[in-house]
Amino acid sequence: MDGKWSGWAAAAAILMLVVGGFKALSGVIGLFNDEWIVRGFNAYYFIDLTALAWWYIIVGVILLFAGWAVLNGQAWGRWVGVFAAGVAIISELMWLPVYPIWSILLITMYIFMIIGLIAVRSEEA
């Protein structure tokens, strides 16, 4: 990762490692505490988190793996990271009615990840 734009890719990789680690950790916690009652703005949501916990673990591990690959200079890691961040954005939309500020914050971080991963000049790709 040499050149003018490598800082963007490195920042995105570190962000993927941090967010992926926390997402995987949230999934593991969700496996042990798998029933929540969440009060939204207009209703109560009774949520069984087992499937969502496994989903968080899978997306978190993919983000960790892609972040590690980008830091090691693997070009395919960027595209895996873009795909995983896109999938994570879609999965965060489920929490938007319940936790709007947190969801918007995470969606913003995923967008910065995608920008950092694709903001590379073509001769460096």
Side-chain angles (χ1 to χ4, degrees), residues 40-41 45 56 89-107:
F41 286 114
Y45 298 96
Y56 273 20
I89 287 173
I90 294 170
S91 69
E92 281 303 319
L93 292 176
M94 292 187 319
W95 289 103
L96 197 57
V98 181
Y99 297 118
I101 295 172
W102 181 249
S103 296
I104 291 171
L105 177 70
L106 283 177
I107 289 170

Side-chain angles (χ1 to χ4, degrees), residues 12-28:
I14 291 170
L15 194 57
M16 280 193 295
L17 289 171
V18 171
V19 173
F22 280 122
K23 189 167 274 300
L25 183 64
S26 297
V28 170

